[in-house]
């Protein structure tokens, strides 16, 4: 992670921007493992977990296409 943050800061970040922050998203995490893995890190790195769901929450349904529409658009794009 530090490698990627250093490259990003040196090659993409503009002078007026703050340094980049790394975010590691994990299926599960152990606080002790995270603490020791990042103990010597000098760059800001966050670690978070995620959960998968087979159903799209109701609040997002009006904003996101259904799986059939996504599959149809991908098929069209692959045939271009």
């Amino acid at each position: 992670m530090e490698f990627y943050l250093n490259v990003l800061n040196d090659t993409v970040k503009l002078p007026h921007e703050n340094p980049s922050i790394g975010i590691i998203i994990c299926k599960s995490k152990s606080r002790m493992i995270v603490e020791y893995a990042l103990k010597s890190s000098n760059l800001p790195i966050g670690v978070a977990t995620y959960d998968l769901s087979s159903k799209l929450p109701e609040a997002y349904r009006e904003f996101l296409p259904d799986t059939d529409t996504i599959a149809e658009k991908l098929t069209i794009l692959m045939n271009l």
Side-chain angles (χ1 to χ4, degrees), residues 2-55:
E2 287 197 28
F3 170 83
Y4 294 108
L5 289 173
N6 283 319
V7 170
L8 185 63
N9 287 331
D10 286 349
T11 62
V12 178
K13 184 182 83 62
L14 299 175
H16 67 279
E17 295 177 326
N18 292 326
S20 302
I21 298 172
I23 300 173
I24 301 171
I25 302 174
C26 313
K27 180 75 175 156
S28 63
K29 69 176 179 178
S30 161
R31 182 166 182 81
M32 185 176 69
I33 292 172
V34 170
E35 181 178 331
Y36 282 106
L38 300 177
K39 189 172 188 164
S40 63
S41 175
N42 296 321
L43 299 173
I45 299 173
V47 179
T49 58
Y50 67 93
D51 291 316
L52 295 178
S53 173
S54 60
K55 294 185 179 182

Side-chain angles (χ1 to χ4, degrees), residues 50-67:
Y50 67 93
D51 291 316
L52 295 178
S53 173
S54 60
K55 294 185 179 182
L56 184 64
E58 188 68 38
Y60 297 112
R61 290 186 186 164
E62 67 178 283
F63 302 110
L64 299 171
D66 59 42
T67 54

